[in-house]
């Protein structure tokens, strides 16, 4: 059994079943997530006989990145080779006042959005809780080497987080746990292509920030670039966002700017209407190209015009700086090796 797969609650249950005291769970988690000790031998506030038994029951084997790539702008991509040979990536994005880690939840992605490199590579499998949180644990270690501290987490790496719901929410539970990573829910954002029923469930389970990849404001256009829209059309998606129970300022709408497709003034006007419904912030994402991409990027001048329409309608609209492009670490470029 891999210990990093257990939330505290699940670990307590397992320990009780095996005759250990419940509080051992928090002790063990503190050693792992706060002191980054991965060997029971070194967990000195646990008795030697307990350590031996724990060692027989559990493995503590975070996945460490096999390779790291640093972009000229300071963005650092960590590539993890999993035990079955699949490769996933996480990206450290240092900014002036914070340092964000972009986390993957699946090897590949089954959603196949037309503008996304990860989607074009196909789907392999869901990541385990341990594989998700190993990215955070090892990125923290990596960031500290250069005096940085990971302050924010975004589930915007490879994969659709809400299609790996159980593992995602268990991973988040450990990220928020006082004895785990001890992150605040305001520092964690889950980005989804719009799995409406799971948005509702996520809202019931946790209170992290929600980012929705909208990218088009009519079903006709959204169908063309996001096949998931056929299953959860805009009306269903927007209703699901309505049900998200947290402060509305924590909802972000993402909108990738595709030349002569979704970058017209009428798109901006309709987007403003949707954003105002939730008091949501809009992130305009310049399209990052890749080999074989079917779209081109909207020129920056036109993105600014689009942003101005939103601002004039009182929408907080930011243009996302593209980072890490020279090492294929930018949004939608993840997936170093071709996944068959
Ligand atoms: N699957 C989730 C999270 C990962 S994608 C989702 O789709 O929300 C993270 C963000 O990158 C999404 O908003 C996605 O639409 C965007 N993205 C994908 N491909 C891109 C590209 N080629 N250029 C810019 N952004 C892209
Ligand atoms: Fe998957 Fe998100 Fe890429 Fe769409 S944009 S293919 S949901 S990773």
């Amino acid at each position: 059994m891999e210990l990093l797969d257990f939330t505290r609650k699940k670990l307590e249950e397992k320990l009780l079943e095996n005759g250990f005291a419940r509080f051992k769970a928090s002790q063990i988690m503190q050693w792992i997530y706060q002191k980054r000790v991965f060997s029971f031998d070194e967990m000195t506030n646990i008795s030697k006989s307990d350590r031996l038994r724990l060692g027989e029951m559990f493995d503590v084997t975070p996945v460490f990145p096999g390779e790291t790539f640093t972009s000229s702008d300071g963005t650092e991509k960590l590539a993890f080779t999993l035990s079955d040979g699949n490769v996933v990536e996480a990206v450290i994005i240092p900014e002036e006042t914070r340092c964000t880690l972009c986390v993957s939840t699946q090897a590949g992605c089954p959603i196949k959005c037309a503008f996304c490199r990860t989607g074009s590579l196909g789907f392999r499998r869901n990541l385990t809780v341990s594989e998700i949180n190993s990215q955070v644990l090892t990125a923290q270690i990596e960031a500290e080497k250069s005096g940085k501290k990971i302050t924010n987490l975004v589930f915007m790496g490879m994969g659709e987080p809400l299609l790996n719901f159980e593992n995602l929410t268990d991973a988040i539970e450990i990220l928020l746990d006082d004895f785990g990573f001890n992150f605040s829910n305001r520092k964690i954002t889950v980005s989804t292509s719009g799995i409406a029923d799971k948005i509702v469930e996520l809202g019931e389970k946790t209170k992290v920030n929600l980012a929705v990849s909208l990218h088009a404001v009519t079903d006709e256009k959204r169908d063309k670039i996001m096949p998931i829209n056929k299953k959860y059309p805009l009306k269903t998606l927007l209703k699901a966002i309505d049900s998200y129970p947290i402060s509305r300022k924590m909802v972000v709408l993402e909108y990738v700017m595709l030349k002569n497709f979704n970058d017209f003034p009428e798109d901006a006007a309709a987007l403003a209407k949707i954003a105002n419904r939730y008091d949501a912030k809009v992130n305009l994402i310049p399209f990052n190209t890749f080999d074989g991409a079917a779209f081109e990027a909207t020129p920056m001048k036109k993105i600014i015009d689009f942003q101005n329409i939103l601002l004039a309608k009182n929408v907080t609209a930011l243009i996302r700086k593209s980072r890490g492009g020279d090492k294929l670490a930018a949004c939608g470029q993840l997936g170093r090796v071709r996944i068959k």
Side-chain angles (χ1 to χ4, degrees):
M1 280 182 292
E2 173 55 57
L3 202 138
L4 273 74
D5 282 330
F6 284 77
T7 61
R8 179 147 56 93
K9 201 154 158 253
K10 289 182 178 171
L11 186 58
E12 284 172 352
E13 275 165 26
K14 183 56 75 187
L15 291 176
L16 281 172
E17 263 169 40
N18 286 276
F20 290 97
R22 181 190 297 270
F23 73 89
K24 286 266 168 340
S26 24
Q27 285 184 324
I28 295 169
M29 287 180 70
Q30 274 183 314
W31 279 109
I32 295 176
Y33 299 107
Q34 296 180 2
K35 298 181 199 146
R36 307 206 192 103
V37 163
F38 308 131
S39 149
F40 288 113
D41 285 345
E42 293 170 51
M43 300 185 185
T44 45
N45 58 356
I46 299 174
S47 74
K48 191 148 187 227
S49 58
D50 279 356
R51 288 187 331 230
L52 281 172
R53 276 184 62 215
L54 289 166
E56 281 161 16
M57 279 174 71
F58 295 105
D59 295 318
V60 185
T61 45
V63 190
F64 281 84
E67 281 178 288
T68 63
F69 307 85
T70 306
S71 290
S72 47
D73 61 11
T75 306
E76 203 176 333
K77 179 159 94 167
L78 313 180
F80 300 82
T81 304
L82 309 178
S83 53
D84 59 1
N86 280 306
V87 177
V88 293
E89 295 161 346
V91 184
I92 302 173
I93 309 159
E95 289 162 293
E96 268 158 38
T97 53
R98 57 186 186 180
C99 182
T100 302
L101 179 72
C102 178
V103 183
S104 293
T105 52
Q106 298 184 312
C109 181
I111 303 281
K112 299 201 183 326
C113 300
F115 48 82
C116 175
R117 180 164 188 264
T118 307
S120 74
L121 299 174
F123 175 63
R124 288 303 283 265
R125 68 169 172 85
N126 281 333
L127 301 190
T128 64
V129 177
S130 158
E131 288 165 344
I132 294 172
N133 279 347
S134 285
Q135 297 170 58
V136 184
L137 198 54
T138 60
Q140 286 181 323
I141 296 170
E142 188 63 29
E144 279 166 21
K145 283 186 197 160
S146 47
K148 295 189 287 277
K149 187 172 182 291
I150 306 284
T151 57
N152 295 61
L153 300 176
V154 292
F155 286 93
M156 292 187 188
M158 296 167 79
E160 168 48 54
L162 298 189
L163 288 185
N164 187 9
F165 192 79
E166 287 303 317
N167 291 347
L168 172 79
T169 47
D170 274 8
I172 290 176
E173 208 172 307
I174 300 168
L175 290 166
L176 297 177
D177 196 310
D178 293 352
F179 296 102
F181 290 88
N182 201 12
F183 274 98
S184 134
N185 56 4
R186 303 190 142 259
K187 302 287 182 189
I188 299 179
T189 301
V190 171
S191 174
T192 177
S193 57
I195 317 294
D197 46 7
K198 294 292 172 190
I199 290 178
V200 177
E201 253 184 81
L202 184 72
E204 285 162 3
K205 242 183 144 156
T206 174
K207 286 186 161 43
V208 294
N209 304 324
L210 178 70
V212 177
S213 293
L214 198 65
H215 305 323
V217 289
T218 62
D219 281 325
E220 196 201 339
K221 277 193 192 177
R222 206 164 184 266
D223 278 349
K224 285 200 179 115
I225 51 172
M226 302 181 77
I228 193 71
N229 195 64
K230 297 232 163 65
K231 189 160 181 200
Y232 302 107
L234 275 172
K235 200 168 164 216
T236 314
L237 173 58
L238 299 183
K239 224 173 126 203
I241 305 173
D242 272 331
S243 78
Y244 207 71
I246 56 166
S247 144
R248 296 193 159 204
K249 280 283 179 208
M250 289 163 105
V251 174
V252 173
L253 301 175
E254 292 165 285
Y255 196 89
V256 64
M257 300 292 300
L258 305 172
K259 187 175 174 182
N260 294 335
F261 178 76
N262 64 357
D263 56 358
F264 298 102
E266 58 267 31
D267 294 308
L271 178 56
K273 226 172 166 180
I274 296 174
N276 282 328
R277 168 167 168 178
Y278 307 110
D279 206 1
K281 196 173 95 179
V282 171
N283 266 345
L284 299 174
I285 312 175
F287 174 63
N288 293 310
T289 195
F290 51 89
D291 267 357
F295 290 94
E296 283 177 57
T298 299
M300 190 44 83
K301 182 178 172 317
K302 220 173 154 196
I303 300 184
I304 293 170
D305 292 344
F306 195 95
Q307 179 191 31
N308 283 332
I309 297 175
L310 294 166
L311 294 175
K313 294 187 186 292
N314 290 322
V315 176
T316 310
L318 302 174
I319 300 174
R320 186 181 293 167
K321 263 189 279 170
S322 182
R323 306 280 304 262
D326 60 336
K327 291 284 184 290
L328 281 184
C331 292
Q333 292 185 318
L334 299 187
R336 187 176 58 99
V337 288
R338 179 154 282 275
I339 299 172
K340 286 193 203 84

